[in-house]
Amino acid sequence: MNTKRVVALIIAAVLLFFSIGINTIITIFKTDFFSSFDMLGSDALTYENVVETGDFTKRIANLKVDGVIQDVGEPSIWETVDYNHQVFLEQLDAVLNDETVKAVLLTVNTPGGGVIESEEIYQKLLQIKEERQIPIYVTMGAMAASGGYYISAPADKIFAQRETITGSIGVIMQSINYEKLAEKIGVEFETIKSGEHKDMFGGPRPSTKEELAMLQEMIDESYEHFVDIIEAGRNMSEAEVKKVADGRVLGGTQALRAGLVDEIGNEEAAINALRADYGLEDAQLFEYTKNTTSWGLFLGAKLGSMFSPSAESQVLSKIISSTNSPRMMYLYGDY
């Protein structure tokens, strides 16, 4: 290889690395880096983003539940999640402790999720209403089903769109019985257990009638609690709730007729009504945004978005790492 060719290869390599470096810097600084410079080094999980300017002494907090309501822990820098349960609970605590917040607009777009997580949100919202004595309005997006309705029930007013899928009031627990599949491929299970029911509803064998009755009792208890939540939040009788509390989904207008929502309208209609109903026309509207501006989180998030595994790889990793244990869910659909 002659000298000219070697020199040309070296120059090409330098230009390649230089190009990669420039593109990386551009990607990082395409965000509002400088506007949030004061947040660098902060350990806070969330910061405030003003949506509509106004009086800072009386503000409206727009909280958003978008995605399946599950506590999956803190994602790595390579992962993106629609809903982060611990961050959302922190936002509720921030509202609870901020005297300048005079109202909450809760935007709900979720098929529901875990029984425990939904209850945690519900209790925090009740605490805000009781201790702060401020109104909470809900605006439903494409879906506010099961656990999504559970967390909406304590609101002072609920807005749904005509196309909103809501309802799905009930509890579900599922497991896979793969006994026959195991027999077909020659897999045998050896189980040592401390009690007769230790491996119940686990998959290797069918559940007995006694075990199914035990699980049904758990489901029924959780279901009755769900109904009680709606009775209290919507000022409805048990009979009125149970007319539609059989797991069915409802459109926005159906939910309105059933008494599950108050008005048909979008997020803008909900915020306008909240302002008018409580004299908050000049109030500032803000939302919480996850803080990715500390040096580690900021750079990690940017590098994660550039070099993260494919969507298929992330789904496969979640399936492999997830537990097979069944759990009670306030959930609509196969998520």
Side-chain angles (χ1 to χ4, degrees):
M1 186 179 293
N2 58 41
T3 304
K4 289 183 178 180
R5 183 168 295 181
V6 171
V7 172
L9 288 174
I10 292 173
I11 293 174
V14 170
L15 289 174
L16 175 63
F17 283 109
F18 181 76
S19 176
I20 292 174
I22 290 295
N23 286 332
T24 301
I25 293 172
I26 290 173
T27 301
I28 292 174
F29 281 86
K30 277 170 70 177
T31 64
D32 57 343
F33 179 81
F34 290 107
S35 65
S36 54
F37 186 80
D38 59 329
M39 292 298 297
L40 290 174
S42 172
D43 291 328
L45 291 176
T46 58
Y47 66 95
E48 296 177 3
N49 177 45
V50 176
V51 179
E52 296 178 11
T53 58
D55 188 344
F56 182 81
T57 64
K58 50 179 183 179
R59 305 193 296 157
I60 301 171
N62 185 192
L63 307 181
K64 299 184 179 183
V65 175
D66 192 354
V68 179
I69 304 172
Q70 286 193 95
D71 190 355
V72 295
E74 186 65 24
S76 71
I77 62 172
W78 308 109
E79 295 178 309
T80 56
V81 294
D82 293 324
Y83 172 78
N84 187 314
H85 187 61
Q86 293 304 319
V87 168
F88 187 71
L89 292 181
E90 182 189 76
Q91 293 173 5
L92 292 172
D93 282 332
V95 169
L96 185 64
N97 296 308
D98 189 342
E99 293 293 332
T100 68
V101 176
K102 304 302 181 184
V104 171
L105 178 68
L106 178 61
T107 301
V108 179
N109 186 35
T110 174
V115 168
I116 299 298
E117 293 92 335
S118 299
E119 177 68 11
E120 287 179 329
I121 295 174
Y122 172 78
Q123 291 296 336
K124 285 286 186 181
L125 291 172
L126 280 189
Q127 187 179 5
I128 289 171
K129 289 189 67 174
E130 293 171 0
E131 296 186 13
R132 293 293 322 284
Q133 297 290 307
I134 59 176
I136 298 176
Y137 276 26
V138 163
T139 173
M140 294 179 169
M143 182 176 291
S146 205
Y149 191 81
Y150 190 100
I151 65 174
S152 301
D156 296 281
K157 188 174 285 188
I158 300 176
F159 285 74
Q161 301 182 54
R162 297 185 189 280
E163 298 77 14
T164 296
I165 295 176
T166 187
S168 188
I169 299 166
V171 194
I172 190 169
M173 176 186 285
Q174 291 180 317
S175 181
I176 299 174
N177 178 8
Y178 44 81
E179 180 187 40
K180 292 182 179 179
L181 175 61
E183 290 176 357
K184 186 175 182 179
I185 61 178
V187 175
E188 295 183 3
F189 294 94
E190 295 181 341
T191 303
I192 301 173
K193 52 186 179 179
S194 59
E196 178 184 357
H197 305 294
K198 184 59 179 172
D199 61 342
M200 64 184 285
F201 212 54
R205 65 172 179 82
S207 301
T208 66
K209 290 183 179 180
E210 182 183 9
E211 289 168 343
L212 291 176
M214 295 176 189
L215 294 170
Q216 188 63 57
E217 184 180 356
M218 292 168 52
I219 293 292
D220 291 343
E221 182 179 346
S222 187
Y223 167 75
E224 291 297 336
H225 180 62
F226 199 158
V227 170
D228 291 342
I229 293 298
I230 299 173
E231 289 178 47
R234 300 298 301 166
N235 194 27
M236 297 170 67
S237 69
E238 180 179 356
E240 289 173 327
V241 175
K242 287 190 173 180
K243 282 182 181 179
V244 291
D246 54 6
R248 74 181 70 180
V249 293
L250 305 167
T253 52
Q254 291 175 308
L256 179 64
R257 289 196 296 268
L260 297 181
V261 304
D262 298 291
E263 293 189 28
I264 299 296
N266 58 16
E267 184 173 285
E268 183 179 1
I271 185 63
N272 288 339
L274 180 56
R275 288 184 182 279
D277 292 347
Y278 291 91
L280 297 171
E281 290 85 353
D282 60 342
Q284 181 189 91
L285 176 67
F286 76 97
E287 62 186 9
Y288 292 108
T289 305
K290 185 174 180 180
N291 176 24
T292 57
T293 53
S294 65
W295 287 114
L297 291 175
F298 181 83
L299 294 176
K302 296 308 168 189
L303 292 174
S305 66
M306 294 167 58
F307 304 113
S308 62
S310 66
E312 293 81 2
S313 298
Q314 292 185 48
V315 170
L316 180 60
S317 175
K318 185 166 291 187
I319 291 173
I320 292 173
S321 62
S322 64
T323 175
N324 291 323
S325 301
R327 56 182 299 206
M328 289 192 293
M329 302 286 284
Y330 294 140
L331 183 66
Y332 169 67
D334 184 14
Y335 290 84

